[in-house]
Amino acid sequence: MWRYGLTILIAVLAISGIGAYYAIGRLNHLPEYKLETVQGEPEEGAAVSLSGSYLGDMRSEPLNVNIEGSIYRSEDKVFRKRMMDARSWFYNQPDIQKLLKDHKSFMRGKGYETGFYRDEELVIYADVTTKGLNSDAQKSVLRLSLLSEDSGKVTDFEQTILEMPDNGQLSIQDVQRVDDEAHLLFRKYIDRGITEELVVYVFDIGTGEQLRHSTLASWSDKNKYKSDAQTARVIASDYISAPQDMIFVILNGKEYTYSYRSGLLTELTDPLWHKALGTGMAHSLQQDNFYYSEVRQDRIVLSRYNFITKEQETSYVTLTAEQLGVGVIKSALIRSNRVYLLADDKAGIPGAAVLDLANGELLYAGRAVEVGDEGKTGAELSENLRLLNINIVEKLAD
Amino acid sequence: MNRYLKLVHMEVHRFRWVLAALMAITAICQISALIVTVLTELSRREERLSQNIGNSSAPVPAKDPLTFEWVMMITQQWFSLPILLSIAVLGLYAFIIWYRDWIGRSTFIYRLLMLPAARSNIYFAKITAFLLFVFGLVSFQLVLLPIEQLIFKLVLPADLRADSHIVEVISINQALAMLIPRGFEQFLYSYGLGTIAILTIFTAVLLERSYRRLGILYGLLYLGACGLAVVFPILFLGVGTPGSSFFPEEIFVIVLVMCALVSCVSVWLGMRLLAGKITV
């Protein structure tokens, strides 16, 4: 036995050293936090995730905090999680999660979130690929897939919708259904993007035949390398596949609404967007209403515009930080029929609040606390924890 | 089983002095760097303090406590060099563990092949021994860190130091952070992939030994094919591509399956070559 002492020693060292580190050595490395309910229903805060950093002695550790606890990003540096989080921007969307749950085989090979439409009867998916790019044979081929919710039957159509001498490239922005027609909104890039257009193609749902197409707007920027991020912006529904007749378009500093049913692009005479520039604005398009908020450190103001009645309700809700029971309001997000606020309480501890979008009623207020160490003061807590962003993570109910 | 364990011990015994030397170099390098750095910083602070005492108008510098994490940051290269040396030596030994048996007049491999036991024991004994060396060195580093922290506390007065967590100490050093992943799951993936690499290298060496000059080509082709098989799902199945035909979880499973396949083929082929191609 003693002859093999060296081998046994190395084997014991190998197992015990690594085992002890991962079992014991890593314990109590980083503090755990969670979002504690101060007021209201915890369910309202379930979707809230605050992100920021824990400030250690020599380095900071990025983390997310929600009502269940905290997750440090360093713990997510695992090969499996990195693989699973590939395309997380697509798979984390609640309506995509629902589609995957209901129609997983239909979702295979489909990855452009703006290409989906879903109602009680039908799921439509559209995407465009450019073949023979920059050659004389360049063409844009549309793939249109239709799934019947009742029968589960899938119908696929594929057709060329652009070809030379038209060398434009198409990027799908939105898909909507109007009766038996599928309306596809594209951004078209011409001459390597120097000229851009917003175009709508209309197809028959039953036959896949292209019925017509129209150009909503066209603009050029010869100084292409200047930032053109604000040249044209399409704001559709928060839930990308939801039926939504009206969309909001910002074009060269002007604001428009577009109706798929009427095909009309209408300029807003009383612009909404620019009123809140510089104050940190959140916005949301929900059915017939466009909501936007103006956020300042001491108050939040909600306004809305109804596309049908053309009625603009400016400041229909105004709430001060005092009324909300917080010290500083930092930012806001609008999702579904809720307004989510990132706010520090009066002691400077980061937290969140959730308001009802319709009337501003405070539904939830929470603050970050350290788990298992309630003795810490607000100053001690805020010294090491910086939560600077609020995210909404909606999970599908089982 | 007995024969296998005896072969493992033989391989460990053959490498013992190299292993001891690597551990000694690691310990000496790191502890020396630690002591020199701490003493240098202490004398620098004393010098600054004595200069300020002479200049009564200057503010007394704040006494920031030193941490082991700070020492690790300052002595990055001295902590990393012995680790890189160990990696280089083990990387070479992945080949030498086989080739040394063919060197010399009384070729040792023939004595091994003539043992009254399954030849697969030779293959498994070598891989087991190699993994013992790798994990032994990793564990040695993990055991050394608290010892170095203790030395740090012995050298520095208590009022001049503050505590550091071992995870922070590891994270601040790039070589250590790569060697010792934060999570055990990632440790399994990293060292699992390393084990697969060693298995393919072993099989490539046996291909070379079996077919001589043509064997070099076979070995290189085999290494290339295994590497491609493992990375193929990640590079070509569209992990981050919208519209990929595979869901991310499917690509992950495919990667695991390919890794398992490469391992099994490497072991099978290695044992086949040992059993049938390399003759006495």
Side-chain angles (χ1 to χ4, degrees), chain A residues 257 268 272 288-290 303-307 310-312:
Chain A
T257 59
L268 293 182
L272 310 168
D288 300 333
N289 288 296
F290 180 80
S303 305
R304 61 186 164 206
Y305 174 77
N306 188 296
F307 293 119
K310 308 264 190 290
E311 182 188 348
Q312 186 168 334

Side-chain angles (χ1 to χ4, degrees), chain A residues 294 298-303 314-321 323-324 329 355 359-360:
Chain A
E294 297 168 50
D298 60 342
R299 69 175 189 271
I300 177 167
V301 180
L302 299 177
S303 305
T314 308
S315 310
Y316 74 93
V317 168
T318 301
L319 287 169
T320 63
Q323 287 172 303
L324 292 170
I329 301 171
L355 312 176
N359 54 23

Side-chain angles (χ1 to χ4, degrees), chain A residues 1 8 15 75 77 79 110 135 146 162 168 215 238-239 270 284 313 324 330 361 382:
Chain A
M1 188 70 173
I8 293 169
I15 295 167
E75 292 166 7
K77 287 184 181 175
F79 174 68
K110 296 174 177 67
S135 73
L146 300 147
L162 271 188
T215 301
D238 293 342
Y239 293 103
D270 191 12
S284 174
E313 289 180 82
L324 292 170
K330 290 188 162 176
E361 181 191 349
S382 58

